[in-house]
Structure formats: C-alpha cells, structure tokens
Amino acid sequence: MSWTRKLLRVDLDARTCGAEPLNMEWAERYIGQRGLASKYLSEEVDPKVDPLSPANKLIFATGPLTGTAASTGGRYSVVTKGPLTGTIACSNSGGFFGAELKFAGWDMIIFEGRSEEPLYLCIENDRAQLLPAAELWGRSVWETEALIRKRHGDPQLRIASIGRAGETGCLFAGVVNDLHRAAGRTGVGAVMGAKNLKAVAVRGTLGVKVADPKAFMAAVAEGKAKLATNPVTSQGLPTYGTQVLVNVINEAGAFPTRNGRDVQFEGARRISAEAMHEKRPTDGKPNLLRNGACFGCTIACGRISQIDRGHFSVKDKPRYWEPSGGLEYEAAWALGAATGVDDLEALTYVNYLCNEHGMDPITLGATIGAAMELYEIGAIPANETGGLKLTFGSAEALCKAAELCGTGEGFGREIALGSKRLCEKYGHPDLSMTVKGQEFPAYDPRGIQGIGLEYATSNRGACHVRGYTISSEILATPVKTDPLVTEGKAELCKAFQDATAVVDSAGICLFSTFAWGIPDIAPQIEAACGGKWPVERLIETGERIWNLERKFNLAAGFSAKDDTLPKRILKEAAKTGPAKGKVNRLHEMLPEYYKARGWTADGIPSNRTLERLAL
Amino acid sequence: MMKSLTIDAAKCTGCLQCELACSFEHEGVFNPAKSRVKVFVLHDTGRYIPYTCTQCSDAWCASVCPVEAIESDRETGVKRVIDSRCVGCKVCTIACPFGTINYNAASGKVVKCDLCGGEPACADACPTGAITFVDAEWTGYGRMKAWAGRTDTAAQAQG
C-alpha cells in the first residue's frame, strides 16, 4: 500500500529525531495529508495554544498518492495552528519536495517544541538529523536552497524552507519549496520560524509502492486521459495558467478591486494571462517564458516568467533577471487589482519577492490594498510610513511595501501582521477584507454568492481552495449554477468542501478536479491504498475531516458569530457589472448550510452528526 | 524497423512522469532515483530537458566492459546489461561520455535504458510528446516537416 506507514517525530528542544509507526487506524479514516495531519494535530495540540509558542506543533504531511504516478500526485501540506487566524491551519504545496519526502520513506514529519538556535532538518532516507543553521538564518529561500545543496554536495536534495518573512514573524509567512512552490497561506512559515527551524532538506531513493500495481496503472492511465481531453486541464491551464480567470472573473463583476471598493478593475486586461503572452514594447519579449509542471502533473499550469530587465523594480538587481515562478491568478489579483496596480512587471517582481522571502501573495497584496485605503482616508498618518506614499495604483509603493514586509523592516512590520491587525490598529476594523483574520482571495462574494458562504465557513479563514464553488457558479463544472442566486448554495458549498478534503488528503492537486470527480479519484486511491474505497466512503471521509477541523476551531474559541463576512460585502452594494446593486446575502445561506451539515443553529456539529461520522 | 527514443526538450514540462514510468517498469516501484531516464531543470534559462541513453552503434560502455556484460541487439540496436555477467566495476560509467549508464548500489550492477524490450514506458507516459519512440533513421522527421512548411514562400506571400 502506498503509505510508507512511518512518521518522523522531531523534538526541537531535545534535538532528537525518531521514527514511529503511522497510526493506520487513523489513516483508514482520514486518508493522509490534510486529513490525517489534522487528526494528529487535534489529538496532540490543545486548540487554545498560542500558535507561535513551543507548545504548538508543525506537521509536514504527504498523502497516499503523493509520489506515485497518479497525475498531480506530488502534494504535501503543512498543518499547524495558524498564527494569522488562530484556527487550524493547513497549507498545501506542489513542486517536488512532497514526493521526495515520500521516497525517503516518510508519510509525515511532526515538529515539536522550539530550538534555542536555528536548525535545519536533513533527511536522507532513514537517516534524519538536525543540523545548525546559523549561517542560513537571515538568508532568502533561494539562497538557503543553494547553500544547503552546496554544503551536502548533493544537487538532488529537495528543500522546503522559510525566508526572512518567516524568521521575522510575518503572520502570513509561507513555507516555500523548489524555489517557487509554496505552502503559502495561513502563516505556517511563521510557526516554523518561531520554532527556529529554517529548512527541511530531503533526498529519498526508496520509492513508493502501491497495493495493486496493475489496477493502479490502469486507473492512472484513465485519469491522465481525462486530463488530456478536458479543455480546461489540457488547454486552458497549460497555455494560460490560472491567470486565465482574470478577464472571466472581472467580466462577472466579482474581481475585488482597491480593497473591495469596486468589483471590476479597469486594468484587468493589462495583468491578465493574455497580457503575459504579449510582447512587451520595451524589450520585445513576453513576460511569460513557458509553462512548467509540479511532480507527476500532466496539466503543467505553472508559470515561468522573465521580467523586463529595464523595469524600475529590478534595474541593477540581476538576481531577478533569470526566469522564475510567474504570476498565478491569485497573486496577480491580490498584488494588482486589490492595490489598483496594473503594472504586470511590478506584480511579477513582487511575486518573486513572495517566493524569495516566503510570503503569501494573497494576504500581502490584500493587506497593502487595505493600507492604501487607510492611507487615502487619512487613517494612517503620512509620517508613520517612513515616506512611503501608499496610494492606490502606485506600483512603486507596492514594490517598496513588499520589500519592507519581506525583510521585516520599517512600515513593513505593520504590513506583516495582516490587514485585520493593521485595520484595527488604525481604527477601521471594517476595512479588513478578512474572515477569521485571513484575507479574501480573488472572488468578490457580492458577484458570486456561494463563494461568500465558503469564505464565511472555511475552517482556515477566507479561502477559495477549501470549497471552490467558482467551478459551478462561473465555470459550469460539474453543473452550472447562477452566481447571483443563493438558493442551493448551502448544499453546493458543503459538497465542494467535503470533496476538496478528500482531494487534499489523497495528495493530489485540486486543479485535477476541473476534469476529475471523486468517482475518477476513487479507483486511484483504492488501487494505491488497498481495501475498498468507494465514492461514498471517500465523501463521508471528507465530511469527517471537515467536522474534525470545525471541532478544533470551536475548541479554540470560534463560534457561529465568526462565520461572517466584512460589513462592506454585506452592506455596500457592488457599483458595476452583473452584480451591480447587490450585496452578499449570507443570512439566506448560512442557516441552510448549518442544516445541510447536521449542525445546530449555532453552528455546532450535533451529537447525531458526530456519531454518524464516528467523531 | 529499428526505433529510437527521440527527445524534444521544448515540449517537456518537467513533470517526471517518464521517470516514474521507467522506475515502475524496471523496479516495480515509483522511484525517480532508480529511473534510467532523467529530466534536468535548468533554472537559469527556464528549461526542462529529459535525457537518457541513445543506444550508440559503437558503444563506449560495451567496448570498455572487461567481462562483456553489455550485449548489443543487432535488430533493435539496444545495448543491454547482462546482470549475470556484470561485476559492478563501473568502468562503463567512466567510459560513457553522456553519463547515461550508472551504478545501482542495491543490485551491485550497472543500469541503463533498455528500451523496455521495444515499448519504452517513458514515451508512453509522457503527456506532451517530449519523448517519443520513432523510426531510428527518421528521428528528424517531425522537425524536418515543420521546417519544410516554412520553406513554402509562395504560400506565405499569398497568405
């Protein structure tokens, strides 16, 4: 079976690493990755713990399909209690690190405690050791990867690390692997930094086996064939990347602009996928160099970009001249529309900064957007920003603010706390476009009703990849629903949330679900894991994971009153587009949602629900 | 017809499906470390390049082998390692100019691409056509055809 059945427990206080058998009873009930790591966290960490204290734990977890030939099967998640929200945090990444961890023979790593001095973990198959990281501390993600490979004389090491943002306590610091793939959201990198853990380097040569190789290869071939014929996964994503959505969502009137003041961005076309393909007038080259894949992925939506060397942001900075991870939809929106900046090269530069220093571009862009609004209304006095003129649309201000945040200097320290704390500090808490402290992604809930319910109920704060109702509401997959209607959205949201928990926990990428439903994934899981994994069992498992996370958050002190949206989204109508005059009607959906989930009117899972899910 | 693996790096996305297929075919396990084909990522130029043994006609590895453990199949052109003869001296790994024959510590033998007995798993698994298995005498057919299209200047002038 495709679990290695082993986890590595790392005690950062005692500086010890020890192997433990994976709890297979839990694996059968939570699959792996997000689900299984959440189970371990729930069992081992008090939900009330301070996320940045040594009592919090940090889990790197793969799924049973991670490292196999299942298309997109290279994912891992970092699970912990998150510092940005105080909820359970789980952030998922692609690249090659996750598969390598599996090849080294580990399903999971659990980090406990806090080291007195900076350390990094180096794993070579069975051999795991904590090594001093004094000379890595203060270095960027990019430098850290190069230095560790050089130190070990092994160019094939795969590395996940934090940059300076994670070291300096940026609450939305991510863990970055393979230079530009990231467990980006929820601040998992800040937890890593608080533990004085700089990096995890892995080399694995043991490989991954599956329970029924013949059936597995047949299921994999069928899955690959579907991805190769679906228009989104075979053409849209490889050619345009997730960026293909900019014009689509802008036209739908759901592209949050200037901190949500508007729902359509006049500069959308200039930061779109199409613009990335166009030759620049300055140097005659397009921003986009090519597409690239994560481990095992036959979609290959990754963007490899190259900035115009003459652009003000990178002039005299050769380290940004080489090709690197380009803009994805979320980053382009947050760094662009949320701040009103339509300079594609500037956005690409700030995206590089996010990878280099290890920051979530969504929260970074949204927080700079909030700061710009506070600045424009005079809530942030000009003398507080160190000369930074935070006006909407200023590419210079965006770049400078991002640089300062990445390195934890000056006004960047305020940005680094996220928009909730920033807006509270400057007296306008309503201007933070967050749920439970985490910033919205790139869909305005006034123009797309169901995603508002998703943001309000997501277990890690506002988030699109916990239940991507956009698939149905905009892209008509698997069925089209009207984005402006609230009816039926409770069930839709629940269905997406439960299915997504399965996808994440299996170790594959959510983007596979543009072509795959759970019935396509079930035979791959079954052949890999052994036993029987029918669709019903998987869906129930997804629901179990969702309720487990909810229980953690309730125990952490959250309640139904936190399942809400910012006032702007509930009261201020959209000014333009198809949703003109509309707000989000969360109150129509939330009670239905609680009912669909089998929760009380107060949003608490009923005893019957918990019994049904064996929780 | 003798067939060869031919590689079009421009089409490679670096997904490693070839490495997974190769290791699965030969070792029954998904393990890029045991793959005979390898994809290189050149970050500085944003390129992905798959590479493996090209089955030389007059192969350095076979010529240098002291125990004649590398056998040539006249019909398919494959240079195959005979495990029962290989003593793991690794001289072939030094002689091969391309680095495509390597030592496997677990077996104590060298390993290289053997074209999977005529149906290379890597080519089958490649989602983009970056690795194909084609007529050994016409590996340039696709590129030649593409270029030929550009030589029809009359059509271009009209269009």
Side-chain angles (χ1 to χ4, degrees), chain A residues 331-417:
Chain A
W333 160 76
L335 304 172
T339 63
V341 174
D342 64 2
D343 178 339
L344 187 66
E345 301 301 307
L347 306 192
T348 306
Y349 166 66
V350 177
N351 196 54
Y352 287 2
L353 290 178
C354 287
N355 293 328
E356 183 185 28
H357 298 306
M359 294 182 281
D360 169 16
I362 299 179
T363 289
L364 176 70
T367 302
I368 294 174
M372 285 173 165
E373 182 159 12
L374 291 168
Y375 187 88
E376 288 202 349
I377 62 173
I380 298 180
N383 60 7
E384 292 237 341
T385 63
L388 198 57
K389 289 193 177 59
L390 285 164
T391 50
F392 278 122
S394 167
E396 288 79 5
L398 169 71
C399 293
K400 190 69 196 163
E403 286 165 5
L404 292 171
C405 183
T407 53
E409 297 168 279
F411 191 72
R413 285 197 298 271
E414 304 293 337
I415 304 275
L417 300 177

